[in-house]
Amino acid sequence: MAETFIISVLIIAIGMALFCVKLIFRKNGSFTSQHIHDSQAMKDRGIHCVLDQDREARQRRQKH
């Protein structure tokens, strides 16, 4: 039981270390935003997040 726990903790620690390589070794390292409204490619395609779509629909409904 203890052996399985130690192996599991070791695997999680290695995964977290690899996941954070960018944060650790870059001067201003950070993860890029994964939100649709922050993506220029999505904006170019005219794709909005659901919150923006809801806001636009409510504004159109109020104008009518």
Side-chain angles (χ1 to χ4, degrees):
M1 181 74 174
E3 184 178 298
T4 304
F5 178 74
I6 292 171
I7 291 172
S8 299
V9 169
L10 184 63
I11 290 172
I12 292 170
I14 291 170
M16 290 300 293
L18 292 173
F19 188 67
C20 296
V21 165
K22 184 177 180 180
L23 294 175
I24 295 169
F25 292 110
R26 281 196 167 173
K27 184 175 181 179
N28 291 321
S30 63
F31 292 109
T32 57
S33 175
Q34 298 298 314
H35 295 277
I36 291 175
H37 66 268
D38 292 333
S39 172
Q40 188 59 45
M42 293 294 184
K43 288 178 185 177
D44 293 343
R45 292 184 179 106
I47 299 172
H48 306 285
C49 74
V50 71
L51 297 175
D52 292 338
Q53 290 176 347
D54 183 53
R55 188 179 308 113
E56 291 169 3
R58 288 174 188 259
Q59 288 174 352
R60 277 182 284 184
R61 202 174 310 139
Q62 287 177 355
K63 290 180 182 178
H64 288 112

